[in-house]
Amino acid sequence: MLSASNISTECVHRSIACNRGTGTADIHPLTDSIVYGGGCSGLVLIRSGYQYSVKHYTSVSSAITAAVWVKQEEGEVAVMGCDKGDVILWNVASNTTLTVCKHSQSLVCVAAIAHQGSVVVTSCGSDSLVKIHSVMLGEGGSEIGSITVPRQGFALCCTMFTLQDTLLLALGSDNSSISLYTLSEGSGTVLLTTLTGHEDWVRGLDFRASNYGGLLASASQDHYIRLWNISRVENKGENETHFKLKEKMFQVQGTQFRVSVESILLGHDNWVTSARWISNGKLLSASMDKTLIIWDQGSDGLWSESVHVGEVGGNNLGLFGALPTSDANIFISHSFQGAFQAWRSTDSGWVGIPMPGGHFNAAKDLCWSPSGQYLLTASTDQSVRVSAEWRGGGGGWYEVARSQIHGHDMSCVHCISDSQYLSGSEEKVLRVFQATSTFFSNLSAITGCSVDAGGGVDHVIGAHIPALGLSNKAITSEDMANTPVQHEGTASIKDCDIPYQVAFAPADLTTPPVEEVLLQNTLWPEVHKLYGHGYEVYQCTASPDSRLLATSCKAAQQQFAVVILWRVGSWNKVAELCHHKLTVTRMSFSPDSQYLLSVSRDRDWAVWDVSALSDTTPEHSITPLATSPPKAHSRIIWDCSWFPEDLSFATVSRDKRLVLWDRAEGRSWTLGCSQAFDTPVTAVDVSVDGLILLGFESGSLKICRRTPQNTVQTLHEVPIQQCVTHSINTVQWRPMRTGKQETETLISGEGEGKGVKVTGKSEEEHCGRCKEFAACSEDGSVLVIRTSLQES
């Protein structure tokens, strides 16, 4: 028998995109770990060889708008700025946080450096204030001083460094200038000089020290990078008779320094968002033109670009951060849509490497494929993504396809089979997508499981989105054979029978795809549209036997709060189920596909008998088999799930209750038992062995069971370090194969004899008594958590 003491959990996958901004990610100069803000979470990616994976996680009260490492010789301590104005110091090793100070408005950027036994933190807010604090780890801190940006402007970037053992602060602002200050606890902040020359906002600053000064690199929206040479004046009279550039002079600890323009670098075609020094003395810059450039100083003293990498096409809007590793072998950036992109040096040049990523908006729904090989997630970032576990390399979960990139916010997704899924968005149309043969061959290579694509998908190798279109159009092998070639492996856009929006090249992958491939070469073609709802689609599901689909839309009146049933294959509407008065929030077919359970915002549930439905069934012939008694729930019912054997089911609601309903005589259901919790319950799923998985509005997760005494027992509460801080939208147990040998599952496709055969090791053979489940959250997080179960 299971008890709370013999269940443990481990978060094996956590994905969320980097928040949008130039200072939301930073790389550690010694360990190469990356700290970044994702939603309201601070995350750390650790490096292992050429791979990165999420290792550490903490949560804060609001969205993170800035994140940097403390510049120090050892240890990993980060500083994060939040949307609500909090500045937080995060000790990663102990996973403890300390609030340093608070601004009245959102944080724009932060900087931190270890200096004379304490950590000096600079925070720049949209309240036009710059605050500097000295913090002793674990003890709190004190304010050194503050700076008010003139004319209610903003300091957009900052960095700190030392000259003559004195701490200096450089601020880049929206008036196109750079201000240099000295910092000390005794005298506070003292303005040294102001550097002018840029013609637009300064977005990035970084300093490289030398024996008698150093180089300050500034990146600006005027497309230029300026290198400012800060050097000590040895002799006030030197070079007075020779031509020299305009200089600014300032004094630190009695020593005179000059600042002059060393070089002006032009190579980007759009805003330069970041410039970072590399350990080998070169400079790395990132731009909104989607490129990274490495700048090198030649023997003649002139700076020029030596490496130019980036992406062509896709729908990304540019790159924000430039993050070089300590060995200068990997360069990383994050895009406007939060995706990390990385390149590493090889004998044949710079090549892209896969990086963890995720949704950059709320993750609304998820669904495992029937075989459990991959996970579909739908988000209001207008995409459906496919994730799977990489069995090669260092392992871990990665995005293996971006099957749908849409023009509307996605609201729901559900697998019909391993080769098809149904999705809905904030439009009145539902769309059916078909996997490609390229996807199955790549999935087999990445996951290590044998996948045999049937005839239904054999000739379709990819998809493209036409200009100004929303429907993914199929690309067949015949299309590629008849298409002129522009360069090796890429279809030409000009004189092409198919109106490609981007160049498509079917990629044979053995590793997870990089961002550019995900955007251009992993779409699934749309095979059918379903019309019938009067308002935006809200929810969809499919029967376990892949015979029927059920869909619902947003509704404020009973005439629109209908559940439409569709026949898979013919795609005909076979019934409209009318009972609810408001939006139907979730539907679930019974394990034998005979019954459909629907729950609604009207606090009611209904069970429908759908066993006899066919294409010829009159649409008005179905009435509810059973409905909920009055006041069964006092608030919105968010979710429902069937138990595997006895046709009992569970409902969860905003009234903070889980209610179990038992099958009674006379084809009805009665209240079995209920359990109240501290926060609203937003998601539920019941496993094949009766474990009840619950997701909460607070972001927490619990595993429960029904006891022989007809009560609900909480077996395990997932530790807060493995959860999220926003509402859980969907939870689902991963389908688990049984037996000790390889299993084969034939997933039906369209037409007789067409389908997908999946062969792989059973879950029990992989990890003994392990079960996995997935959860998605309103902050964009997607979790895969492994539970280890031991019978007592």
Side-chain angles (χ1 to χ4, degrees):
M1 177 181 295
L2 288 173
S3 65
S5 61
N6 49 25
I7 294 183
S8 61
T9 55
E10 174 192 7
C11 184
V12 297
H13 172 58
R14 179 189 297 272
S15 71
I16 185 171
C18 182
N19 289 342
R20 191 171 295 168
T22 55
T24 54
D26 190 27
I27 191 165
H28 198 282
L30 300 177
T31 65
D32 293 337
S33 298
I34 297 173
V35 62
Y36 75 97
C40 298
S41 306
L43 301 98
V44 174
L45 302 176
I46 62 167
R47 179 183 175 184
S48 176
Y50 293 116
Q51 281 186 242
Y52 275 89
S53 59
V54 176
K55 181 66 175 179
H56 303 286
Y57 161 84
T58 191
S59 60
V60 295
S61 59
S62 60
I64 294 175
T65 55
V68 297
W69 289 112
V70 175
K71 296 178 182 178
Q72 56 185 9
E73 295 182 357
E74 58 183 17
E76 292 186 343
V77 179
V79 175
M80 301 178 293
C82 302
D83 186 46
K84 290 185 178 179
D86 296 312
V87 180
I88 297 172
L89 192 74
W90 177 25
N91 190 325
V92 175
S94 61
N95 199 26
T96 56
T97 58
L98 171 69
T99 300
V100 177
C101 65
K102 186 175 177 65
H103 287 253
S104 61
Q105 296 182 37
S106 174
L107 264 294
V108 178
C109 62
V110 294
I113 189 172
H115 183 66
Q116 296 180 351
S118 64
V119 175
V120 179
V121 177
T122 297
S123 57
C124 309
S126 53
D127 55 3
S128 300
L129 285 178
V130 178
K131 296 184 178 182
I132 303 97
H133 287 76
S134 177
V135 183
M136 298 294 292
L137 293 179
E139 298 181 11
S142 59
E143 183 173 342
I144 294 177
S146 64
I147 302 167
T148 301
V149 181
R151 297 186 299 278
Q152 296 184 335
F154 307 108
L156 301 173
C157 56
C158 58
T159 187
M160 289 185 287
F161 54 94
T162 56
L163 282 178
Q164 298 286 105
D165 295 325
T166 300
L167 192 59
L168 269 66
L169 168 66
L171 293 177
S173 65
D174 60 352
N175 64 3
S176 309
S177 67
I178 302 167
S179 302
L180 292 181
Y181 296 82
T182 59
L183 306 177
S184 65
E185 295 196 33
S187 56
T189 61
V190 177
L191 177 64
L192 297 176
T193 186
T194 299
L195 309 178
T196 58
H198 284 297
E199 298 177 352
D200 207 336
W201 292 2
V202 180
R203 302 306 299 262
L205 292 170
D206 197 27
F207 181 78
R208 187 190 75 185
S210 63
N211 291 335
Y212 301 105
L215 281 177
L216 178 66
S218 60
S220 170
Q221 289 183 182
D222 62 7
H223 306 187
Y224 289 95
I225 300 167
R226 286 177 174 257
L227 302 182
W228 308 87
N229 188 355
I230 302 175
S231 59
R232 191 167 63 189
V233 179
E234 299 293 343
N235 184 356
K236 294 183 179 180
E238 64 178 355
N239 297 329
E240 286 184 351
T241 60
H242 298 281
F243 170 79
K244 58 183 178 180
L245 294 173
K246 182 179 179 181
E247 296 177 342
K248 291 289 186 76
M249 310 293 289
F250 64 88
Q251 194 174 71
V252 175
Q253 296 288 343
T255 303
Q256 193 81 3
F257 286 87
R258 65 162 64 97
V259 185
S260 61
V261 177
E262 166 89 4
S263 184
I264 301 175
L265 309 181
L266 175 61
H268 290 292
D269 300 326
N270 209 324
W271 297 355
V272 185
T273 56
S274 180
R276 292 286 293 266
W277 291 106
I278 310 172
S279 58
N280 56 13
K282 300 179 182 181
L283 183 70
L284 177 67
S285 62
S287 169
M288 293 299 283
D289 65 7
K290 309 182 190 178
T291 63
L292 290 174
I293 294 179
I294 301 174
W295 303 89
D296 191 12
Q297 187 176 27
S299 57
D300 55 0
L302 298 179
W303 290 83
S304 61
E305 60 178 78
S306 58
V307 177
H308 200 134
V309 297
E311 67 174 54
V312 178
N315 62 353
N316 272 345
L317 297 180
L319 302 178
F320 275 131
L323 308 176
T325 57
S326 58
D327 57 8
N329 283 331
I330 300 177
F331 302 128
I332 303 156
S333 186
H334 54 100
S335 70
F336 185 83
Q337 294 179 339
F340 282 104
Q341 301 180 66
W343 293 264
R344 72 178 180 93
S345 178
T346 66
D347 294 337
S348 57
W350 291 85
V351 298
I353 57 176
M355 289 289 291
H359 292 290
F360 60 87
N361 256 337
K364 288 294 187 181
D365 201 8
L366 59 79
C367 184
W368 290 101
S369 64
S371 64
Q373 278 197 283
Y374 62 83
L375 177 68
L376 285 171
T377 55
S379 167
T380 54
D381 66 7
Q382 304 184 351
S383 70
V384 174
R385 308 186 185 214
V386 186
S387 301
E389 188 174 8
W390 184 20
R391 299 291 185 181
W397 285 76
Y398 287 85
E399 186 179 348
V400 296
R402 199 161 299 169
S403 57
Q404 185 179 358
I405 301 173
H406 203 43
H408 297 280
D409 292 356
M410 304 303 303
S411 57
C412 57
V413 66
H414 200 91
C415 281
I416 303 171
S417 69
D418 265 33
S419 60
Q420 283 184 338
Y421 73 81
L422 174 70
S423 69
S425 64
E426 289 191 346
E427 57 177 345
K428 302 175 184 180
V429 184
L430 291 114
R431 301 169 189 266
V432 181
F433 292 84
Q434 180 86 33
T436 65
S437 59
T438 305
F439 167 76
F440 283 113
S441 61
N442 290 339
L443 182 66
S444 176
I446 293 170
T447 63
C449 295
S450 175
V451 181
D452 178 23
V457 298
D458 188 43
H459 68 293
V460 178
I461 60 174
H464 74 286
I465 305 176
L468 304 179
L470 294 177
S471 301
N472 296 358
K473 302 298 183 183
I475 300 175
T476 66
S477 52
E478 291 81 7
D479 294 329
M480 294 299 293
N482 297 328
T483 299
V485 176
Q486 186 180 22
H487 53 81
E488 184 177 357
T490 306
S492 172
I493 300 176
K494 186 178 179 182
D495 300 327
C496 182
D497 294 335
I498 300 177
Y500 292 99
Q501 183 182 12
V502 296
F504 170 80
D508 294 326
L509 303 174
T510 56
T511 63
V514 297
E515 182 69 12
E516 186 174 1
V517 174
L518 286 169
L519 287 169
Q520 297 185 138
N521 302 326
T522 61
L523 290 172
W524 292 15
E526 181 185 314
V527 295
H528 207 82
K529 292 184 178 72
L530 304 179
Y531 299 91
H533 286 293
Y535 287 94
E536 297 93 331
V537 173
Y538 190 82
Q539 197 54 249
C540 65
T541 190
S543 60
D545 62 3
S546 300
R547 183 175 59 94
L548 293 173
L549 305 176
T551 62
S552 68
C553 71
K554 294 180 179 179
Q557 300 175 10
Q558 186 170 7
Q559 67 185 96
F560 300 110
V562 296
V563 176
I564 299 181
L565 296 182
W566 314 81
R567 178 73 177 183
V568 175
S570 67
W571 312 113
N572 291 330
K573 183 193 298 184
V574 297
E576 285 192 4
L577 312 182
C578 303
H579 170 73
H580 294 289
K581 300 177 180 63
L582 296 173
T583 304
V584 176
T585 55
R586 190 77 72 176
M587 301 152 292
S588 178
F589 284 93
S590 60
D592 59 5
S593 301
Q594 302 299 301
Y595 301 99
L596 176 68
L597 170 64
S598 60
V599 297
S600 168
R601 287 181 177 268
D602 62 11
R603 312 172 189 179
D604 195 6
W605 57 257
V607 177
W608 314 79
D609 186 350
V610 296
S611 58
L613 286 179
S614 66
D615 290 350
T616 59
T617 304
E619 294 184 10
H620 61 274
S621 61
I622 300 180
T623 57
L625 188 64
T627 59
S628 62
K631 300 182 180 179
H633 282 287
S634 60
R635 301 294 298 276
I636 295 170
I637 305 177
W638 281 126
D639 203 356
C640 59
S641 182
W642 292 88
F643 280 82
E645 297 177 354
D646 56 1
L647 289 181
S648 57
F649 60 84
T651 58
V652 295
S653 167
R654 186 178 281 173
D655 64 9
K656 306 179 183 180
R657 294 170 63 227
L658 161 70
V659 180
L660 306 185
W661 304 87
D662 293 332
R663 180 70 182 270
E665 296 182 1
R667 303 179 74 185
S668 63
W669 279 261
T670 60
L671 176 64
C673 62
S674 67
Q675 178 66 44
F677 296 93
D678 295 332
T679 57
V681 194
T682 55
V684 63
D685 190 42
V686 182
S687 69
V688 293
D689 49 1
L691 291 178
I692 306 170
L693 174 62
L694 299 175
F696 293 84
E697 192 176 85
S698 62
S700 59
L701 295 158
K702 293 183 180 181
I703 300 173
C704 305
R705 68 162 183 172
R706 188 174 189 174
T707 67
Q709 293 77 31
N710 199 26
T711 61
V712 176
Q713 177 190 10
T714 299
L715 293 175
H716 182 75
E717 182 169 358
V718 178
I720 189 64
Q721 298 84 359
Q722 300 174 15
C723 298
V724 293
T725 57
H726 282 58
S727 177
I728 300 292
N729 288 324
T730 309
V731 294
Q732 188 179 19
W733 291 101
R734 186 178 187 179
M736 187 173 66
R737 304 184 188 97
T738 58
K740 296 288 185 177
Q741 299 177 351
E742 288 191 347
T743 58
E744 289 188 351
T745 307
L746 182 63
I747 310 300
S748 61
E750 283 197 72
E752 185 178 356
K754 296 180 180 180
V756 179
K757 185 180 291 185
V758 180
T759 305
K761 298 292 185 181
S762 70
E763 287 297 318
E764 290 193 356
E765 184 175 355
H766 280 308
C767 52
R769 283 288 291 159
C770 287
K771 298 170 69 68
E772 291 179 345
F773 66 84
C776 62
S777 169
E778 195 65 24
D779 71 346
S781 295
V782 176
L783 309 177
V784 176
I785 294 180
R786 178 172 297 156
T787 65
S788 298
L789 314 175
Q790 296 180 357
E791 300 286 350
S792 58

